Amino acid sequence: MKNLTFNKKILLIIIFSIGFSVLVSFLFIHYLYSKLYVSSIEDSIIHQGKRTASHYHYGELSDEIIEKIQWYNVVSEYEIIVVDDLDELSSYFPYKINYENLIDSHDQSELEEGKYVMKEGFVEELNREILGAIFPIKGDQGLIGFIYIYVPLEAIQDVFSDSIPILLIAGSLFFCFFFLIITRIWKSMFKPLQDLQRLSDQVSIGNYSDIIQTDRQDEIGQLIKAFNQMSLSLGQLEERKKEFTSNIVHELRTPLTYIGGYTEALKQKIYTSPEEATNYLATIQKETDRLSKLINDLVDLNYLQENSYSTNMEPIAIAQLLFDTIDLFEIHIKEKKLHLKLDIEEDLVVLGDSHRIHQVFYNIIDNAIKYSLSSGAILIKLKKVNKAVQFQINNDGIGIPKEDIERIGERFFRSDKARNRTTGGTGLGLSIVKEIVRLHEGKFTISSTQSTGTTITIQLPYLDIEGAEI
């Protein structure tokens, strides 16, 4: 059974159902025969036998009475035999039922006690079943005779002879209708499943473009829609993987090319002055630092995305942490002649990992400065909004295209790919920021237009002064 395919199992179930229906129909007809037809004959025999025997209580079984009974035998549908003694019954037909004598010792005892005895069985001479009964006739001095009433039973096919054509026609129509229904259900169930099997084969070899069109709303329809969505998601994931591989190869190739080229130049002493050699060494150092930062950021991001990672949560005076982070960029702000505006509430407390929150501030402020225009403005806000501490930073640099907004924060994704060398970024900073915010059960949003610049908003759960998280 385990080796059978699903459709073969369903076919076996259908065949079993049909067989079961036929069996139930047979049993039902047999029930009608045995319980209704035979029972009605038995009740009639008992009623007629008792009635006949009761006419002769306390009388004698005279020739006149026997003649009346025999006359009744002629006009009745029953065969009636009247005898004075039980031994005489053995000489009347049928004298054997089921190939055994009509009367045995137990039957004789019952009759002598005044009870009637039912007889049912096969009679060879008639080649059919009979149903009968023997009734004792009482006189003044006890039993004076016996009445034997029996009737040959019609065969079951004879009983239902008038109904069989109707049953055959109704049965044929039923099975034709049943076959049509099963065929429709078969196609309805297995055609989508076969399509799913075909699609799964395509997915297994890396083809994620095919989908199954369906307007079904049942479980199979929901399964198809879920599979379509899974296929599309796998396709998108595959594209992202290819892009990720391409990006990381690109990120590694350029610094390695610089390092290899300048190292070979220094090794071959291909330079014109000590200053040029020093510049080569500086470039090697710069590209080495870039590689180191790239590897560290990748390790850090993977570490943050592991389900087993847990933050070191503690109450943080977040305003002071923000001020300390801003101080680290004082030189860069002066170099680009940026105008820094601060709107910070200084008594705010959050429950979080101070090292990771500092990492969030550092990456976001670093990006805001890198992508600001010279002599531009940066606005930093830190306020309590409802039940959250909201950090917001805005710069008036070049805006991010609308189609790139949703992808900000993906690994290695840069909206302006031409700036990756001048800014020195790895394309992982915002990915790390989003993971840290997620681990703190916060929210990260970004908006950007050419007129207002780019705004990043982060909300973290607020902690009241008693240390209870709101």
Side-chain angles (χ1 to χ4, degrees):
M1 191 71 174
K2 293 181 179 179
N3 296 326
L4 294 178
T5 59
F6 182 66
N7 57 346
K8 288 183 178 178
K9 290 180 181 178
I10 295 297
L11 181 61
L12 285 177
I13 291 175
I14 294 173
I15 293 174
F16 174 79
S17 300
I18 294 175
F20 181 76
S21 300
V22 172
L23 178 62
V24 170
S25 301
F26 172 78
L27 293 177
F28 178 70
I29 293 175
H30 187 269
Y31 168 81
L32 292 178
Y33 175 81
S34 62
K35 295 299 181 183
L36 299 182
Y37 171 68
V38 175
S39 295
S40 65
I41 295 295
E42 182 178 339
D43 292 341
S44 178
I45 289 175
I46 294 173
H47 172 73
Q48 188 63 47
K50 288 182 177 180
R51 179 184 175 190
T52 303
S54 66
H55 289 169
Y56 310 109
H57 285 177
Y58 309 109
E60 294 181 356
L61 194 60
S62 63
D63 293 338
E64 181 182 358
I65 293 174
I66 293 175
E67 288 179 1
K68 288 183 179 180
I69 293 176
Q70 290 175 344
W71 176 86
Y72 182 76
N73 183 32
V74 174
V75 299
S76 165
E77 60 178 329
Y78 305 103
E79 296 291 337
I80 303 177
I81 299 171
V82 181
V83 295
D84 295 328
D85 190 271
L86 280 176
D87 293 335
E88 296 181 34
L89 282 178
S90 300
S91 61
Y92 286 90
F93 177 81
Y95 52 86
K96 283 193 175 184
I97 295 180
N98 290 334
Y99 304 101
E100 296 180 355
N101 292 331
L102 180 65
I103 302 296
D104 57 22
S105 58
H106 179 267
D107 295 334
Q108 189 169 349
S109 301
E110 293 287 312
L111 291 170
E112 289 176 353
E113 293 177 4
K115 300 177 183 179
Y116 68 89
V117 175
M118 293 299 303
K119 307 301 293 185
E120 181 179 3
F122 179 76
V123 176
E124 184 178 11
E125 291 79 5
L126 295 176
N127 194 30
R128 67 174 54 193
E129 300 277 331
I130 71 161
L131 180 63
I134 302 173
F135 298 88
I137 302 175
K138 294 181 179 180
D140 294 334
Q141 304 299 322
L143 295 177
I144 61 174
F146 301 90
I147 298 175
Y148 178 29
I149 301 178
Y150 73 91
V151 61
L153 295 176
E154 297 288 345
I156 189 169
Q157 62 269 23
D158 297 329
V159 174
F160 295 99
S161 59
D162 295 335
S163 304
I164 285 177
I166 299 176
L167 291 174
L168 288 176
I169 294 172
S172 299
L173 291 176
F174 168 76
F175 282 113
C176 289
F177 179 74
F178 186 72
F179 178 77
L180 292 175
I181 294 296
I182 290 299
T183 302
R184 186 175 182 85
I185 294 175
W186 190 279
K187 291 181 179 179
S188 176
M189 287 182 59
F190 290 102
K191 179 60 168 60
L193 293 179
Q194 290 171 348
D195 291 340
L196 276 176
Q197 182 179 9
R198 175 187 56 78
L199 182 58
S200 64
D201 291 338
Q202 292 296 312
V203 170
S204 66
I205 61 176
N207 181 10
Y208 305 103
S209 59
D210 290 345
I211 61 172
I212 301 174
Q213 300 293 340
T214 182
D215 56 358
R216 299 176 60 141
Q217 301 299 323
D218 57 5
E219 291 82 356
I220 293 180
Q222 296 299 321
L223 176 61
I224 291 174
K225 291 176 182 178
F227 201 94
N228 285 339
Q229 185 61 43
M230 182 196 71
S231 180
L232 293 175
S233 298
L234 287 174
Q236 293 173 357
L237 180 61
E238 185 67 21
E239 288 298 319
R240 299 289 172 81
K241 284 173 61 179
K242 291 179 180 178
E243 186 177 355
F244 173 79
T245 302
S246 176
N247 286 333
I248 196 170
V249 168
H250 174 73
E251 294 291 338
L252 293 174
R253 180 185 292 131
T254 303
L256 288 174
T257 300
Y258 276 110
I259 292 171
Y262 286 119
T263 300
E264 187 64 25
L266 290 172
K267 183 179 179 181
Q268 300 294 333
K269 298 182 179 180
I270 307 174
Y271 51 85
T272 57
S273 65
E275 291 77 11
E276 187 176 358
T278 302
N279 288 335
Y280 287 174
L281 288 173
T283 301
I284 292 173
Q285 182 63 50
K286 178 182 176 182
E287 296 304 324
T288 302
D289 292 341
R290 185 193 300 277
L291 279 177
S292 178
K293 187 175 188 307
L294 174 64
I295 293 171
N296 289 335
D297 284 351
L298 273 175
V299 171
D300 203 17
L301 183 57
N302 288 333
Y303 182 54
L304 289 170
Q305 289 178 333
E306 290 180 358
N307 293 330
S308 58
Y309 175 78
S310 59
T311 53
N312 182 23
M313 308 297 279
E314 59 183 2
I316 303 171
I318 193 168
Q320 185 58 51
L321 183 60
L322 178 57
F323 283 129
D324 293 341
T325 308
I326 294 173
D327 288 343
L328 299 176
F329 294 95
E330 183 177 356
I331 295 176
H332 299 288
I333 292 172
K334 289 181 179 179
E335 286 177 349
K336 296 193 71 170
K337 299 179 181 179
L338 299 175
H339 180 56
L340 182 63
K341 299 178 183 178
L342 302 178
D343 184 5
I344 298 175
E345 294 182 14
E346 299 186 6
D347 58 347
L348 300 177
V349 178
V350 298
L351 185 66
D353 188 321
S354 59
H355 170 68
R356 293 301 181 184
I357 298 298
H358 169 73
Q359 197 172 3
V360 168
F361 289 156
Y362 188 94
N363 282 336
I364 292 178
I365 296 172
D366 184 44
N367 278 347
I369 294 172
K370 286 178 181 177
Y371 300 127
S372 290
L373 300 175
S374 296
S375 302
I378 294 178
L379 173 61
I380 297 177
K381 294 181 180 180
L382 186 69
K383 292 186 175 182
K384 180 176 179 292
V385 177
N386 296 326
K387 297 180 180 180
V389 172
Q390 179 172 288
F391 167 74
Q392 191 173 75
I393 185 167
N394 169 266
N395 71 354
D396 55 2
I398 300 174
I400 301 172
K402 184 177 180 181
E403 61 271 15
D404 290 345
I405 288 292
E406 292 185 358
R407 298 199 59 188
I408 294 296
E410 292 183 12
R411 295 187 180 196
F412 299 119
F413 180 78
R414 297 186 182 87
S415 177
D416 185 357
K417 297 175 176 58
R419 296 185 297 182
N420 57 44
R421 290 292 140 205
T422 59
T423 60
T426 63
L428 298 173
L430 287 182
S431 299
I432 294 173
V433 167
K434 292 180 74 172
E435 285 301 316
I436 294 173
V437 172
R438 180 185 65 83
L439 290 170
H440 283 78
E441 298 181 355
K443 295 181 180 179
F444 175 96
T445 56
I446 183 170
S447 61
S448 183
T449 63
Q450 292 184 347
S451 59
T452 61
T454 301
T455 301
I456 291 179
T457 303
I458 293 175
Q459 289 187 339
L460 299 172
Y462 172 71
L463 193 70
D464 66 12
I465 56 175
E466 296 180 356
E469 192 173 354
I470 299 295

